[in-house]
Amino acid sequence: MPSAGTSSPPPDPDLLRLAGDLSRVRDRVVEELTLDDPPIEDALQHLIRHPGKLLRPALVLGSAGLVGADAPVSEQVVTAGATVELLHLASLCHDDLCDRAEVRRGVPTVNARYGDDAALVVGDYLLASAHGLAGALGPEAATAAARCARRICVGQLIELRETGDVGRTVPGYLAAVAGKTAELISFSARLGALAAGADESRQEALSAFGHHLGVAFQIWNDLGDLTAPGDSAGRDLGNGVYTLPVLYGLETAGDRLRPLLSASPRDRTVAEVVAVLRECGALDRAADTAAGRLRSAFDRLEVAGLPRPAGVTALRRMLARLLPEVAELLDTPSRTTRPAEAAR
């Protein structure tokens, strides 16, 4: 509690509006997944009972605000936010099924609780619901949503093709990330602008912003996967998915790293891999790449003359609230990262 004679800072009005609008988006998602059959409804709503940061619908709302949408936002913008969240939930459901994951956000995955067959159908239902909402926004939104879904699938297929391949390249990694992660974040930023009535040039600027933000976000997740505490570290390594820090390590310390990657998970530890990556500078290099992508994201807004400075400031505050590491990265041109701390 604040000590006597001190007062808490006043609440940020932009973040208060964001919280209110995100609540409307979540209600819209629940509405889409509410059926007359309670057991089926329970399976469909399993993921949204344990929501994450709602980054993608927040980007829809933030992008709409950048192009001049009123606050509170219109029902069109709320529908756009629900569209991207349903697409995101569908991708999580399918990812967990492919990875045979049993836990997400500390709770059982859909496949762990209801079985693989049910998880597949739930993911498909979520995807169909997302496209239904996109269609309600108009043909341009529907086309963009279909393109987004296809690119997500291509990115995932690239990653599956390269799983377990120590010859994986940085361009191959970036191609996979552009689809499986960055595409939905890019689409979120574009769809917010579209739903708010922005012209094509502004939609393109926000789409480019979202792409670079999405790449940075994935790199940071990859660093966090390697440096998470305890047994939760190294899920990607265990699945044979070699991410950017590992690829940078292979470039500079391949003679030490390849034997570790080729060994059975029982014969090497994540800590051994991370020690090599830290010593050869691969972790710091990946963190600097993420920072560069974040700067590129905001550069896209400035190049397009988008928007008023106050709008960019509000967007930065929103991202810093949802992704605390963003504030530090944006403020530091190049940094030496302690990944174990940054991942928390």
Side-chain angles (χ1 to χ4, degrees):
M1 294 179 61
S3 60
T6 64
S7 60
S8 300
D12 186 323
D14 291 323
L15 294 181
L16 287 175
R17 282 193 294 271
L18 173 66
D21 287 335
L22 281 176
S23 179
R24 292 169 62 199
V25 170
R26 190 173 184 279
D27 288 346
R28 187 76 175 86
V29 172
V30 171
E31 179 185 331
E32 279 297 305
L33 303 181
T34 298
L35 303 179
D36 293 331
D37 189 314
I40 296 176
E41 181 181 301
D42 184 72
L44 289 174
Q45 294 191 2
H46 179 69
L47 284 168
I48 60 172
R49 285 196 294 272
H50 308 280
K53 298 175 179 179
L54 297 176
L55 171 64
R56 292 149 192 86
L59 281 171
V60 169
L61 300 172
S63 296
L66 283 176
V67 299
D70 294 331
V73 295
S74 68
E75 283 302 312
Q76 284 279 100
V77 175
V78 169
T79 298
T83 298
V84 301
E85 184 61 11
L86 285 166
L87 274 174
H88 178 53
L89 293 176
S91 70
L92 294 184
C93 196
H94 287 149
D95 284 350
D96 288 340
L97 182 58
C98 289
D99 295 342
R100 296 178 174 83
E102 296 184 355
V103 177
R104 179 179 288 277
R105 299 170 187 159
V107 299
T109 57
V110 176
N111 47 293
R113 180 165 179 173
Y114 302 98
D116 290 354
D117 291 344
L120 177 63
V121 177
V122 166
D124 289 347
Y125 189 98
L126 292 166
L127 186 62
S129 298
H131 285 293
L133 287 186
L137 291 171
E140 188 176 354
T143 299
R147 182 172 60 242
C148 173
R150 287 196 299 269
R151 288 176 175 173
I152 291 172
C153 292
V154 169
Q156 191 63 54
L157 287 169
I158 291 172
E159 181 168 283
L160 288 171
R161 183 184 66 201
E162 298 179 348
T163 296
D165 182 6
V166 294
R168 190 183 197 193
T169 64
V170 171
Y173 164 87
L174 291 174
V177 168
K180 77 185 191 88
T181 301
E183 178 60 30
L184 184 51
I185 293 178
S186 173
F187 174 61
S188 299
R190 174 187 283 276
L191 193 63
L194 172 62
D199 60 26
E200 179 64 23
S201 65
R202 290 192 165 190
Q203 291 179 41
E204 283 293 330
L206 282 159
S207 178
F209 163 83
H211 169 79
H212 289 290
L213 176 63
V215 174
F217 178 72
Q218 183 61 58
I219 294 170
W220 207 255
N221 278 350
D222 294 341
L223 284 164
D225 178 74
L226 289 167
T227 58
D231 295 336
S232 58
R235 176 178 167 181
D236 287 332
L237 277 179
N239 290 332
V241 178
Y242 302 137
T243 57
L244 190 65
V246 176
L247 298 180
Y248 281 161
L250 286 168
E251 289 180 358
T252 57
D255 56 335
R256 299 167 58 196
L257 200 53
R258 284 190 183 88
L260 290 173
L261 297 180
S262 299
S264 164
R266 292 173 297 181
D267 299 326
R268 51 102 167 130
T269 65
V270 175
E272 288 177 297
V273 174
V274 171
V276 174
L277 297 178
R278 182 175 288 110
E279 290 168 11
C280 74
L283 296 179
D284 291 337
R285 185 181 172 192
D288 284 341
T289 300
R293 286 287 186 156
L294 280 170
R295 290 192 297 273
S296 294
F298 280 93
D299 285 347
R300 294 304 182 274
L301 301 184
E302 294 176 9
V303 167
L306 231 181
R308 305 177 307 277
V312 174
T313 300
L315 183 61
R316 285 175 180 258
R317 286 201 304 268
M318 180 192 81
L319 290 173
R321 175 68 177 82
L322 296 172
L323 305 171
E325 65 268 23
V326 167
E328 185 179 357
L329 284 171
L330 284 172
D331 291 341
T332 309
S334 181
R335 57 195 294 272
T336 300
T337 305
R338 293 190 294 269
E341 295 180 9
R344 287 199 285 270

